[in-house]
């Protein structure tokens, strides 16, 4: 009965949407009455065109407020790896077609100056972090939240500042507020399988990268003359406070989903220069930075072989933060850039980001060395013809100091390093703008420090290769 | 649910039918209710609003807050796909916005971008928008390479037409310098890519495409590209070759 009611409810919503007078889906498209390609470069979601960037920076407020501000996305597909059970021990890849995600999007224009991009998901058979007994499970979660207030002043030609957009955002990931696709949260690959993390690329990433700093945050931004962009946000622990819904269902007592515990407020800063558009070309160059001081949970610390701090005083739920153990400090500094050429029927886009990271872990909570560094380079170039046929390739590379955090060689016992290199080509076909069929392959030429037998167990980097065929549908 | 079962005894089928029927009635009633909610006015900031379809937002506010995102605050766009509106004839702008609104102008980009933008506009806003953009100083690019054979050919077509192909000189309607008059648009200084796209609409009046319409991702349909007000153009450019269309567009861009 429950299932029936759920199906009925979804059906009812969709029926209503179809009966709407000349209204469309998904949500933002209904709000502006424009096609998806107005905001998305060549229809390769979630990449933004200059107009799409403007739409987001002005708080999703262009257009008419919709009566039913909801849309749904479905992602399903088949993921396999070279040896069926790759180096990360994932055994849930059947290679069969299976559902991965059901996204629920709400928001859009709320008031003149206030709007939201609020995405929730139901994931099937997802790999979960934490120390629960279930390696994979279904879960409903707050995915991407960006609730923003924005205003836009346009001056006359005598004003020194002719055009300024300013605003404030409440969000749940560092980088989620960004409008360029070289930024941590919005870079290719745009979709991965719940069952194989290789489909997302590198096994190790810097702290300031996709889905990494998952905490309630709030910040302000300004965009001057459509050239200069500056933003600063502060991220803190959600805990059980008023903002805990932003990181649902993470909680101290959920063994498979522990919150990210941050010490105090943690700054994230973004600066960018966006060129004017000329003859269909536009480019951006920018800087990113974040300082993250992070506690671990009592579970993590008590299981840590490298911990050398004061004796733990932990009581309470399974994932309570180990406050007495101190923090791991991450300092990330990045430079990024983007290029776009958008003249029908051609769409050419390219992004790159280089990140330097210093990690300080004096008490050995996670790392055996008190100080570690990583350098990572992420890039991607893509071509789309007529917003229908697309191809992309990504090159990702990370290097860093050796540390037991990255594992140890099974034979010599030496600490491994994160050094990994991945190539991620993909091709896609998008017959309608809300329907995309993609084949994406991840090839590792280096993984966790080596190409051949990187862990002493005879595993080669290529054993982690993954292919991922998926269908993406939005309504 | 129990009430139904009592009423009609033990027949599972019948009861499910009744349930399904009552749900459908409820659904239809519900939808009717939802779809008739008037759009809520949320004008906290009418002088800087991006709300479409609200009578209280002045045209010049929409021009800088919404239209300018693509057409430029001074009506000079940065993308070859988006026409310059600066100094465009006011009557022409009024006509085109009305045609987008009632979907009679159905060229590819019109359907893709402009049906949604113009759909909710009020008559007063259309007048104000046309007023705003027609008063902007027109685009003028430095005219350099007139020795370019393509531009020479373009100039020839603009001033003399191609009589043997039935192509009338453009300047007979669009003004001696392509500045347009009344409902005849300014074509001087316009992006060559945009002009070529529009010429194709009249050159191939049977062009069709199966596409999404005005943001309605769930109801794609076949659109025949048309610009009915420009039907005069059909005979003029019927025999215009692609190379000549590009030549005249390139030349107009330099005017």
């Amino acid at each position: 009965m429950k299932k029936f009611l759920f199906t009925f409810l979804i059906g009812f919503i969709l029926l209503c949407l179809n009966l709407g007078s000349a209204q469309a889906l998904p949500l933002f498209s209904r709000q502006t009455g424009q096609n998806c390609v107005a905001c998305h470069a060549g229809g390769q979601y979630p990449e933004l065109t200059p107009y799409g960037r403007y739409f987001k920076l002005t708080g999703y407020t262009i257009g008419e407020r919709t009566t039913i501000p909801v849309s749904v996305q479905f992602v399903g597909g088949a993921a396999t790896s070279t040896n069926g059970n790759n180096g990360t021990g994932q055994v849930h890849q059947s290679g069969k077609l299976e559902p991965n995600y059901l996204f629920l999007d709400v928001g859009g224009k709320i008031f003149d100056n206030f709007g939201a991009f609020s995405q929730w998901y139901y994931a099937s058979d997802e790999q979960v972090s934490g120390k629960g007994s279930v390696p994979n499970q279904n879960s409903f979660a707050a995915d991407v939240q960006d609730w923003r207030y924005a205003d836009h002043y346009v001056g006359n030609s005598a004003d020194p500042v002719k055009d300024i957009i300013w605003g404030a955002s409440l969000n749940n990931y560092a980088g989620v507020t960004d409008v360029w696709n070289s930024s941590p949260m919005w870079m290719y690959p745009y979709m991965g399988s719940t069952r194989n993390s290789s489909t997302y690329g590198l096994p190790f990433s810097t702290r300031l990268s996709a889905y990494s700093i998952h905490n309630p945050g709030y910040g302000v931004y300004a965009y001057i003359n459509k050239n200069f962009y500056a933003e600063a946000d502060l991220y803190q622990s959600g805990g059980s406070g008023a903002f805990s819904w932003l990181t649902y269902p993470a909680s101290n007592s959920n063994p498979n989903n522990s919150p990210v515990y941050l010490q105090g407020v943690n700054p994230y800063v973004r600066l960018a220069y966006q060129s004017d558009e000329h003859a269909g070309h536009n480019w951006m160059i920018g800087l990113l930075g974040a300082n993250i001081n992070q506690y671990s949970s009592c579970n993590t610390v008590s299981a840590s072989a490298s911990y050398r701090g004061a004796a733990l005083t932990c009581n309470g739920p399974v994932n309570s933060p180990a406050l007495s153990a101190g923090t791991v400090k991450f300092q990330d500094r990045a430079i990024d850039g983007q290029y776009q050429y958008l003249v029908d029927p051609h769409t050419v886009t390219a992004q790159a980001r280089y990140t330097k990271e210093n990690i300080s872990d004096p008490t050995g909570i996670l790392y055996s060395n008190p100080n570690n560094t990583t350098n990572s380079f992420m890039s991607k170039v893509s071509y789309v013809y007529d917003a229908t046929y697309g191809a992309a390739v990504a090159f990702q590379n990370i290097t860093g100091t050796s540390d037991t955090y990255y594992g140890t060689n099974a034979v010599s016992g030496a600490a491994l390093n994160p050094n990994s290199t991945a190539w991620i080509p993909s091709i896609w076909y998008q017959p309608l703008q809300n329907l995309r069929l993609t084949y994406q392959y991840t090839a590792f030429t280096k993984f966790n420090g080596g190409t051949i037998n990187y862990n002493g167990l005879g595993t080669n980097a290529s054993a982690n290769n993954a292919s991922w065929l998926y269908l993406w549908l939005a309504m | 649910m129990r009430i139904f079962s009592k009423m009609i005894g033990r027949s599972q089928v019948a009861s499910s039918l009744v349930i399904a029927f009552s749900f459908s009635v409820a659904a239809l009633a519900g939808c009717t209710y939802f779809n008739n909610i008037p759009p809520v006015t949320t004008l906290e900031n009418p002088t800087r609003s991006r709300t479409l379809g609200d009578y209280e937002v002045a045209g010049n506010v929409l021009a800088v807050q919404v239209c300018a995102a693509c057409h430029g605050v001074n009506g000079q766009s940065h993308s070859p796909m988006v026409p310059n509106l600066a100094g465009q004839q006011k009557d022409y702008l009024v006509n085109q916005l009305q045609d987008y609104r009632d979907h009679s102008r159905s060229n590819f980009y019109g359907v893709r971008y402009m049906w949604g933008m113009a759909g909710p506009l009020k008559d007063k806003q259309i007048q104000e928008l046309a007023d705003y953009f027609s008063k902007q100083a027109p685009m003028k690019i430095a005219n350099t390479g007139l020795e370019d054979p393509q531009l020479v050919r373009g100039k020839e077509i603009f001033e003399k037409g191609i009589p043997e192909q039935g192509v009338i000189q453009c300047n007979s309607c669009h003004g001696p310098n392509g500045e347009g008059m009344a409902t005849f648009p300014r074509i001087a200084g316009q992006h060559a890519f945009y002009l070529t796209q529009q010429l194709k609409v009249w050159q191939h009046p049977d062009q069709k495409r199966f596409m999404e319409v005005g943001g309605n991702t769930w109801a794609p349909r076949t659109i025949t590209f048309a610009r009915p007000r420009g039907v005069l153009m059909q005979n003029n450019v019927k025999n215009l070759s692609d190379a000549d269309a590009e030549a005249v567009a390139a030349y107009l861009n330099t005017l």
Side-chain angles (χ1 to χ4, degrees):
Chain A
M1 191 67 204
K2 232 168 134 177
K3 200 166 178 180
F4 167 74
L5 276 174
F6 177 75
T7 317
F8 171 76
L9 186 73
I10 294 285
F12 171 66
I13 288 170
L14 294 179
L15 179 70
C16 286
L17 291 170
N18 273 328
L19 292 180
S21 55
Q23 290 292 12
L25 289 158
L27 172 58
F28 291 152
S29 174
R30 265 188 304 146
Q31 180 178 308
T32 63
Q34 292 175 309
N35 286 2
C36 308
V37 288
C39 288
H40 293 288
Q44 53 183 330
Y45 319 103
E47 269 191 44
L48 296 177
T49 60
Y51 175 70
R53 295 195 282 272
Y54 179 75
F55 180 77
K56 180 169 175 176
L57 289 173
T58 51
Y60 315 103
T61 59
I62 294 178
E64 282 188 288
R65 189 159 79 176
T66 54
T67 43
I68 307 175
V70 178
S71 52
V72 183
Q73 302 171 61
F74 168 81
V75 173
T80 59
S81 71
T82 313
N83 58 1
N85 174 9
N86 67 2
T88 49
Q90 296 163 98
V91 294
H92 282 246
Q93 309 153 63
S94 63
K96 289 201 288 258
L97 292 171
E98 289 161 316
N100 271 268
Y101 293 105
L102 186 65
F103 294 99
L104 176 71
D105 297 88
V106 295
K109 185 183 184 73
I110 299 169
F111 299 115
D112 247 1
N113 298 102
F114 186 71
F117 177 93
S118 176
Q119 184 166 286
W120 303 73
Y121 72 71
Y122 181 79
S124 305
D125 203 22
E126 188 182 33
Q127 276 209 292
V128 288
S129 59
K131 298 180 64 69
S133 54
V134 191
N136 288 53
Q137 62 179 20
N138 299 346
S139 60
F140 178 73
D143 186 22
V144 172
Q145 304 294 322
D146 177 25
W147 298 72
R148 62 172 77 202
Y149 173 90
D151 206 340
H152 179 197
Y153 169 78
V154 183
N156 57 42
S157 48
D159 288 356
V161 173
K162 292 171 188 58
D163 189 297
I164 177 164
I165 296 169
W166 71 97
S169 160
L170 172 69
N171 59 78
N172 72 337
Y173 280 107
V176 96
T177 45
D178 215 80
V179 294
W180 294 278
N181 294 82
S182 49
S183 63
M185 269 297 288
W186 297 110
M187 208 168 178
Y188 177 95
Y190 297 132
M191 198 54 79
S193 166
T194 49
R195 298 175 182 82
N196 185 339
S197 59
S198 287
T199 53
Y200 287 100
L202 298 176
F204 304 104
S205 54
T206 57
R207 202 73 194 81
L208 183 55
S209 59
Y211 298 101
S212 179
I213 303 165
H214 191 195
N215 294 86
Y218 37 86
V220 290
Y221 64 93
Y223 192 35
I224 296 161
N225 290 348
K226 299 199 174 160
N227 293 128
F228 298 96
Y229 181 80
E231 177 187 352
D233 296 78
L234 296 171
Y235 290 87
Q236 61 184 60
S237 283
S240 52
F243 292 150
S244 59
W245 61 273
L246 287 164
T247 53
Y248 180 87
S251 83
N252 296 3
S253 51
N254 182 344
N256 293 313
N257 207 323
S258 60
V260 179
Y261 299 109
L262 300 181
Q263 184 186 61
V265 289
N266 298 255
Y268 159 81
V269 175
R270 173 16 145 211
L271 300 170
Y273 175 80
Q274 166 68 48
S275 78
D276 291 331
E277 265 185 286
H278 181 70
H281 304 270
N282 78 81
W283 54 267
M284 178 282 282
I285 187 157
L287 298 168
L288 294 144
N291 286 358
I292 304 295
N293 291 351
Q294 189 181 327
Y295 294 110
S296 283
S297 70
C298 292
N299 276 332
T300 307
V301 177
S302 58
S304 165
S306 53
Y307 183 66
R308 49 188 179 270
L312 272 185
T313 50
C314 269
N315 44 37
V318 287
N319 284 318
S320 301
L323 299 177
S324 59
T327 60
V328 184
K329 293 181 173 58
F330 299 89
Q331 279 196 350
D332 288 47
R333 305 289 178 263
I335 180 167
D336 68 328
Q338 173 174 280
Y339 164 78
Q340 294 181 317
Y341 173 73
L342 309 165
V343 178
D344 263 11
H346 308 294
T347 299
V348 178
T349 62
Q351 291 89 11
R353 181 172 88 250
Y354 173 75
T355 310
K356 272 186 88 70
E357 178 178 57
N358 289 317
I359 305 161
S360 160
D361 185 3
T363 54
I365 295 167
L366 299 174
Y367 295 84
S368 50
N369 304 328
N371 293 295
N372 283 305
T373 56
T374 68
N375 295 298
S376 81
F377 179 75
M378 315 281 272
S379 62
K380 163 258 178 191
V381 60
S382 60
Y383 173 75
V384 191
Y385 180 77
D386 202 17
T388 309
Y389 305 94
V393 64
F395 171 76
Q396 302 182 344
N397 186 62
I398 186 167
T399 59
T401 41
S402 300
D403 191 288
T404 56
Y405 173 80
Y406 303 111
T408 51
N409 186 296
V411 177
S412 66
L416 299 178
N417 63 41
N419 301 6
S420 306
T421 305
W423 292 87
I424 311 172
S426 70
I427 48 169
W428 65 89
Y429 171 54
Q430 201 162 308
L432 291 169
Q433 59 182 5
N434 54 331
L435 182 70
R436 182 166 78 195
L437 186 66
T438 305
Y439 178 74
Q440 183 176 304
Y441 190 79
T442 309
F444 290 102
T445 54
K446 193 181 271 185
F447 192 93
N448 206 174
T451 304
I452 307 290
N453 186 15
Y454 61 84
N455 56 3
L457 297 169
T459 317
N460 297 341
S462 60
N464 300 283
N465 292 4
S467 58
W468 166 225
L469 173 75
Y470 71 91
L471 177 81
W472 176 88
L473 178 69
M475 15 186 212
Chain B
M1 299 307 125
R2 256 185 233 143
I3 298 168
F4 291 122
S5 326
K6 272 187 190 158
M7 265 181 3
I8 52 175
R10 300 217 173 277
S11 163
Q12 286 269 322
V13 179
S15 72
S16 1
L17 277 173
V18 171
I19 290 167
F21 178 74
S22 43
F23 266 122
S24 318
V25 171
L28 282 169
C31 287
T32 311
Y33 170 77
F34 271 116
N35 288 328
N36 287 324
I37 298 176
V40 193
T41 331
T42 55
L43 281 184
E44 303 79 37
N45 198 352
T47 57
R48 294 203 292 272
S49 178
R50 285 168 295 281
T51 299
L52 293 172
D54 191 300
Y55 196 80
E56 290 175 55
V57 185
N60 62 347
V61 173
L62 287 179
V64 300
Q65 291 286 343
V66 180
C67 316
C70 297
H71 292 282
V73 74
N74 50 8
Q76 300 181 4
S77 90
H78 296 290
S79 167
M81 292 159 56
V82 180
N84 293 318
L85 304 180
Q88 185 52 278
Q89 297 295 329
K90 187 182 169 181
D91 293 355
Y92 172 79
L93 288 172
V94 170
N95 282 350
Q96 300 313 307
L97 283 170
Q98 286 172 344
D99 291 356
Y100 284 135
R101 187 176 61 182
D102 65 26
H103 295 187
S104 57
R105 178 174 171 177
S106 61
N107 58 298
F108 184 53
Y109 298 126
V111 177
R112 196 186 248 188
Y113 304 109
M114 286 304 299
W115 281 15
M117 288 286 108
L121 294 177
K122 311 288 181 233
D123 287 342
K124 170 173 153 288
Q125 290 169 320
I126 287 180
Q127 292 291 337
E128 290 166 345
L129 285 168
D131 200 47
Y132 175 91
F133 285 110
S134 61
K135 284 183 175 154
Q136 304 292 327
M139 191 85 174
K140 191 86 185 102
I141 62 165
N143 188 351
T144 46
L146 243 188
E147 61 286 351
D148 180 339
Q150 192 192 35
L151 294 182
V152 173
R153 175 68 177 159
K155 184 177 189 326
E156 190 186 350
I157 298 167
F158 178 76
E159 291 172 355
K160 303 192 179 73
I162 316 173
E164 64 276 20
Q165 292 178 15
V167 176
I168 302 168
Q169 64 274 33
C170 318
N171 63 6
S172 62
C173 295
H174 290 280
N177 302 308
E179 71 277 26
M181 45 187 133
T183 58
F184 291 92
R186 161 184 292 278
I187 47 179
Q190 190 55 273
H191 295 293
F193 180 91
Y194 172 80
L195 290 170
T196 318
Q197 293 293 319
Q198 301 311 307
L199 287 171
K200 278 182 187 157
V201 176
W202 294 300
Q203 280 174 303
H204 312 284
D206 51 354
Q207 262 191 109
K208 287 185 179 60
R209 182 159 169 153
F210 185 70
M211 63 183 289
E212 290 77 11
V213 171
N216 194 340
T217 53
W218 220 220
R221 61 178 197 258
T222 304
I223 297 283
T224 306
F225 300 157
R227 295 197 52 179
R229 273 188 213 268
V231 81
L232 264 177
M233 291 286 293
Q234 266 181 26
N235 283 330
N236 288 336
V237 299
K238 191 168 54 183
N239 300 322
L240 195 66
S241 71
D242 284 356
D244 281 345
E246 276 166 35
V248 80
Y251 173 71
L252 289 171
N253 182 239
T254 65
L255 279 183

